[in-house]
Amino acid sequence: MKEIITTPNAPAPIGPYNQAILSGNTLYTSGQIAINPETNELVLNDIETETKQVMHNLKAVLEAANMTFEHVVKSSIFISNMDDFTKINAVYGSFFDEANAPARETVQVARLPKNVNVEISVIAMK
C-alpha cells in the first residue's frame, strides 16, 4: 500500500507526480527545488539561499509525514555546477546531526527543472 503525502507548505508538483509517497514505514520524496510555496516563485538569489529553500521544502514534506531530518536514511543531490558543492554542502549539513547524517550521493547534471542550480530528494524511515 502507498499513501500520498502532500502539504501546502512545499511547492505543488509541476508534473504528474506527488510530493512524497509513504509505503509502510518508508517515505520517498520527490526532488525539491527552490520554489517558495507561498509565492510560487523561484528563490535564486545565491546558491546558499537556494539550497536553504530546497531544505525547507523537504522539511515541510517530512513534517507532513510526521517525520524529521533525523528519519532520513538516504539523500540524492543534483547540482548544475560542482564548483558550488562546498556551499551547498554547508547549508545541507546544517539540517543534519553529523553523527546521524544519511547516506548520500551528489551528482553534477547538465540541466535541472526550471534551470535551478540544485535539486534534492530524500528517503526517510520511521
Side-chain angles (χ1 to χ4, degrees):
M1 276 192 46
K2 69 180 184 181
E3 177 184 349
I4 306 300
I5 302 297
T6 186
T7 177
N9 298 321
I14 56 175
Y17 62 90
N18 288 290
Q19 291 170 327
I21 300 293
L22 183 64
S23 179
N25 293 327
T26 305
L27 180 73
Y28 302 89
T29 73
S30 291
Q32 289 294 314
I33 60 175
I35 295 175
N36 179 326
E38 294 177 12
T39 64
N40 207 33
E41 298 289 324
L42 285 170
V43 178
L44 302 175
N45 307 26
D46 55 63
I47 195 63
E48 293 93 346
T49 305
E50 184 176 350
T51 305
K52 193 171 192 177
Q53 182 66 57
V54 170
M55 296 303 289
H56 282 294
N57 292 345
L58 284 169
K59 180 180 179 185
V61 174
L62 287 166
E63 288 174 349
N66 296 313
M67 294 188 192
T68 69
F69 282 110
E70 289 190 11
H71 293 99
V72 175
V73 296
K74 178 75 166 56
S75 297
S76 297
I77 303 176
F78 302 97
I79 61 178
S80 62
N81 184 350
M82 196 57 77
D83 291 339
D84 290 331
F85 176 83
T86 302
K87 293 176 181 178
I88 292 167
N89 198 51
V91 174
Y92 169 91
S94 71
F95 285 80
F96 292 97
D97 170 15
E98 193 169 323
N100 190 30
R104 142 187 136 184
E105 70 267 333
T106 303
V107 179
Q108 180 175 315
V109 296
R111 192 168 176 207
L112 290 164
K114 296 193 175 274
N115 295 313
V116 298
N117 301 296
V118 60
E119 179 175 1
I120 303 173
S121 64
V122 300
I123 299 171
M125 295 184 72
K126 279 191 179 180

